[in-house]
Amino acid sequence: MIADDPEPLQPTNEQEDNAQPDEIDDGDDEIITGDAPGTGEGKKKKKKKKSKKKKMEQSDPPRIGLSKFFPDGIYPEGEIQPYKDDNTWRITSEEKRYNEKMANEDPETTYQSIRRAAEVHRQVRQHARKTIRPGMTMTEIVENIEAGTRALVEENGLECGVGFPTGVSLNHCAAHYTPNAGDTTVLQQGDVLKVDIGVHVKGRIADSAFTLTFDHTYDKLLEAVKAATDTGIREAGIDVRLGELAGYIQETMESYEVEVGGKVYPVKPIENLSGHNINLYQIHGGKSVLLVKNDDQTKMEEDEYFAIETFGSTGRGRIVEAVSVDNEAPSYLLILPRVNARIMPESSIHPMYLSGAHDSPATDV
C-alpha cells in the first residue's frame, strides 16, 4: 500500500494507466467557500483530496505473487486447535508464550514460512476445484496447478517452490500418480479424482489433498474421510501416542456407510497407508500416523510438523503396490484391489505443527 503524501500530486495519464489496483485514486477535490475574516468576501479553500483506494485482487487464474498482497510478510493463520486435557497449561504458561514469541521472531523457526505455503495452497486449490472438469487431461490439470503454485509462491530455487509433483490419482489408484510427458489420460464424468498438491517455503512443506467427483454417488464416502481427518486433527497434540490417535481416526471412519448401486458398503480405513511427520525439506520424517488402532507408543513432540492423512475405501481396506508403464516411463502407483473408490477429503492432509504454545494452524477447507 502507498501512503498519502502531505501534498498529493496529480498523476500523469501514463502513471494512471500503470497504477496498481490499490493505487488508483478516483476521488475529486472538494471546493469550500466561506467569508474571509474582516472582509465579508467569499474565499475558496481547497480541501485535501481523500484517496479512494481499491483493494488489490488476485488474477484468474491466480498468477500474482503473495508478497504483493502481504508486503509485511505476515500471512493468514489457518485453523487453530486449542490444547486440551493435560496440555491446557501450555495456553496460559508465560514461559511457553515467551518461547512462542521468540520462535516467531526467528526466521529459521517462524510460522510465517508454513503459513505462506498454506495460503499459496489455499488459493491454488480453490481455483483447481473451480476449474477442473471432465474432458480435461491429467497433464492440463497438473500444469495449471503447478503454474499457479510457482507464480504465487514466487519460486526461487531451493528457497521456495513446488513441494512435490502434483498427484492426480483416478478411481482405484490411491495415490502418487502424476502424468509423464505424453500422457493423454482424460478425466471422465464418472471418475473419482484425488488431487494432491505440495508447496514449500524455506523447506517447510504444506502437503494437502482434496477429492473431486461429478455425481453424488460417493458423497458419504467423502464425508466419512473428511470427518476422520477432522478427528485426527482435533485429537492430535504434544504427547499424544500415535497408536491411540489412529484408533480415533478408525472409529470415526467406520461409523459411515455408502450405498452404491443399491448395495450398502461399510467405509474402511486403509490400514497400510498413513499420515506422517514432515521435516525441513523432507516430506516423510520417520513417524507414521496409521489409520487403524495399534500399539505404537511413539509420541508427538514439540516443534514437530505432521500431515494428518486419512484414506477411506468401500473395499477391504488394504492397498497393493504396482508399477504402471506409460510411454515407457514408469510411474509409481498404489492400487486398491476390488474397491469402488478410495477418497481423500477436501483437506485430507492438513499441515499441522505442534509447538510450545497453542498455535496449531491447518489449511482451511
Side-chain angles (χ1 to χ4, degrees):
M1 301 292 290
I2 299 177
D4 291 334
D5 294 324
E7 296 291 337
L9 302 175
Q10 295 298 322
T12 65
N13 290 336
E14 181 180 358
Q15 289 173 327
E16 192 77 60
D17 291 341
N18 294 332
Q20 294 297 318
D22 63 345
E23 298 173 336
I24 297 175
D25 189 341
D26 55 2
D28 296 324
D29 289 341
E30 183 178 353
I31 306 301
I32 300 176
T33 60
D35 292 336
T39 65
E41 297 178 357
K43 182 179 180 181
K44 293 183 179 180
K45 296 182 180 179
K46 188 175 181 180
K47 187 176 180 181
K48 181 180 177 181
K49 180 171 57 176
K50 294 183 178 179
S51 299
K52 297 180 181 178
K53 296 184 177 180
K54 298 178 181 178
K55 184 178 179 181
M56 187 174 183
E57 296 182 354
Q58 183 57 265
S59 61
D60 185 7
R63 296 293 185 269
I64 303 175
L66 283 196
S67 66
K68 306 298 190 300
F69 298 90
F70 304 97
D72 58 358
I74 304 300
Y75 294 90
E77 294 180 353
E79 177 183 334
I80 296 178
Q81 293 288 341
Y83 287 117
K84 60 181 183 178
D85 302 329
D86 293 340
N87 267 329
T88 53
W89 66 273
R90 295 179 180 276
I91 300 175
T92 57
S93 169
E94 289 297 327
E95 179 184 359
K96 291 299 182 184
R97 286 182 175 274
Y98 177 79
N99 291 342
E100 185 90 343
K101 181 176 181 293
M102 292 297 99
N104 267 316
E105 292 178 359
D106 185 341
E108 297 300 318
T109 59
T110 180
Y111 298 151
Q112 296 309 321
S113 293
I114 193 63
R115 286 176 179 163
R116 177 180 164 194
E119 180 63 17
V120 169
H121 195 291
R122 185 185 70 82
Q123 294 190 25
V124 171
R125 181 177 74 248
Q126 288 185 345
H127 183 264
R129 289 183 60 84
K130 180 177 69 174
T131 58
I132 294 174
R133 291 292 181 268
M136 297 179 69
T137 66
M138 298 300 102
T139 300
E140 289 173 332
I141 293 170
V142 167
E143 287 181 344
N144 183 53
I145 288 171
E146 294 187 355
T149 298
R150 291 187 173 97
L152 268 61
V153 81
E154 295 161 286
E155 184 179 47
N156 179 24
L158 294 178
E159 180 78 6
C160 55
V162 174
F164 49 79
T166 302
V168 281
S169 304
L170 286 172
N171 304 322
H172 65 284
C173 179
H176 298 172
Y177 178 86
T178 193
N180 295 306
D183 190 309
T184 58
T185 306
V186 176
L187 181 64
Q188 304 297 323
Q189 179 70 28
D191 283 341
V192 177
L193 174 66
K194 287 79 66 177
V195 182
D196 193 0
I197 305 171
V199 186
H200 92 89
V201 175
K202 297 181 180 179
R204 288 300 180 195
I205 306 171
D207 174 5
S208 187
F210 64 92
T211 295
L212 285 176
T213 59
F214 303 95
D215 59 43
H216 298 292
T217 303
Y218 295 107
D219 284 356
K220 278 294 180 181
L221 190 51
L222 271 72
E223 183 181 336
V225 185
K226 183 180 185 302
T229 300
D230 291 342
T231 296
I233 294 171
R234 185 176 63 251
E235 299 299 332
I238 295 171
D239 292 334
V240 170
R241 298 184 189 276
L242 301 184
E244 293 178 2
L245 181 58
Y248 298 135
I249 293 171
Q250 178 183 9
E251 182 179 9
T252 300
M253 185 92 70
E254 292 180 347
S255 67
Y256 285 81
E257 295 178 334
V258 180
E259 183 176 343
V260 181
K263 185 176 180 179
V264 176
Y265 296 88
V267 178
K268 296 181 181 179
I270 305 299
E271 62 184 54
N272 54 340
L273 290 178
S274 67
H276 50 89
N277 67 320
I278 304 176
N279 295 335
L280 274 175
Y281 293 100
Q282 185 181 21
I283 188 63
H284 288 261
K287 293 184 178 181
S288 296
V289 183
L290 294 172
L291 312 181
V292 176
K293 188 174 182 179
N294 59 85
D295 297 328
D296 187 355
Q297 298 300 304
T298 305
K299 292 182 178 181
M300 291 180 162
E301 301 177 71
E302 286 190 16
D303 302 320
E304 289 187 324
Y305 288 63
F306 273 85
I308 303 299
E309 305 181 27
T310 59
F311 300 80
S313 170
T314 55
R316 65 186 184 186
R318 284 189 65 85
I319 58 96
V320 294
E321 296 180 8
V323 175
S324 173
V325 178
D326 177 29
N327 295 326
E328 301 182 355
S331 298
Y332 180 66
L333 303 180
L334 296 174
I335 306 298
L336 298 182
R338 296 194 297 278
V339 294
N340 293 76
R342 178 291 221 177
I343 307 291
M344 290 189 290
E346 287 186 344
S347 189
S348 68
I349 313 176
H350 292 250
M352 178 195 70
Y353 46 76
L354 306 175
S355 65
H358 63 285
D359 195 7
S360 296
T363 54
D364 61 340
V365 175

